[in-house]
Amino acid sequence: MGALSANSRPPRLRRAGIGLVAVALALAGCGGSSLDQSGGGESGGPVKIGLLVPLSGVYAPLGEDMRAGFQLYLDQHGGKLGGRQAEVVTADEGEGPQTGVPAAQKLVTQDQVAAVVGVVNSATALGLRDFFDESKRPLVVANAGANELAGARRSDYLWRTSFTNGDVGEALGPAVKDDVDGEVYLIAADYAAGKESTGGFRKSFEAAGGKIAGSEFTPFGKTQDFQPYLSAIRDSGADAVYAFYAGAEAVNFVKQYKEFGLADEVQLYGPGFLTEGGVLAAQGQAALGVQTSLHYSTELDSPRNKEFSAAYTAKVKKPPTVYSVQAYDSAAVLDKALAAAPGASGPELAKAIGGVGAIDSPRGSWSFGADHDPEQTYYLREVRSGGGGIVNGVVRELD
Ligand code: BEZ
């Protein structure tokens, strides 16, 4: 068992609730209705936006991509959101809620931002849900896929430009059942995202008649040597593996999977985070043939993606990733919402976010659904050699 169990909030945060929000706001000198007015500044003047992404820990590279995506949007729009000069205050989410929650609270209570964008880790997002709901300030989640945020714990103040963990896994189940004549082993980082991703995959795979050979959850942020887990996979006799890892853990898992000799025997599948961006570059040849589901690939053959990809690569000197696209789209959401709610009070802005309509994204046009998540297409991707490097080629759309 890792630091956090599925959907759990650390005890310190579970106890916090309303009291913690009230204390934080009182210390910052904000009370009651005045809170609704803070963060937005003078209508037409500059607007402060908090960017909360991991700058340290196992997900730091994802945070870098998000920062670059958000900044590219600003560069392309004269540094403005909703016609107002955007002042971006960046804070480090770190590896989880212990660092991410206080960093977000500081953005709202001390820096007085109008909205916060970012959050990679599901446990951090779950730990932040009540704070944003109670302080009536919008949080635009640009990655963390915690299922509950689109279900039982949905909030008027939480909107997500990324995905729900279960959906990304669920999209892949029937495709794997079609391709694999045998059983699948599940392995994942031991926290909300790993549990939900494998849970979504299991649901649709079993519904299609598939059988699970076994499962294992590895301590999140601490596992570097996967050999004992790879032995267990081989001993299970599985014909394929579904793995949830991202960032540094994905690099180690895929490289060791190849070194251990499993890549040639047991087809590896996962959500696209397993082979995304810098992770894929570090895995190199070891990742060839890995198949994943995701709502973005650099290889999507659309004029919008080509234009975005060229601009991003020219500026950042590496190809974009799903993380940069999600942050880029978050800026687009805020741009439209701030134009519609010039005062930028929390409640007005949250309402305006719900009304932004279609977002013209590099992933394809999408809109928020009733669950505050994007309604979007998932693709089956396969790691291939291409364009002088290694890419996530698009095989087909998933149902
Ligand atoms: C999550 O915690 O929800 C997550 C983290 C990295 C990649 C995908 C999902």
Side-chain angles (χ1 to χ4, degrees), residues 59 62 120-122 143-146 163 165 191 193 244 246 273 323:
Y59 288 157
L62 285 58
V120 163
N121 185 311
S122 277
N143 187 68
F163 54 86
N165 287 319
Y191 80 107
F244 171 92
F273 321 110
Y323 312 110

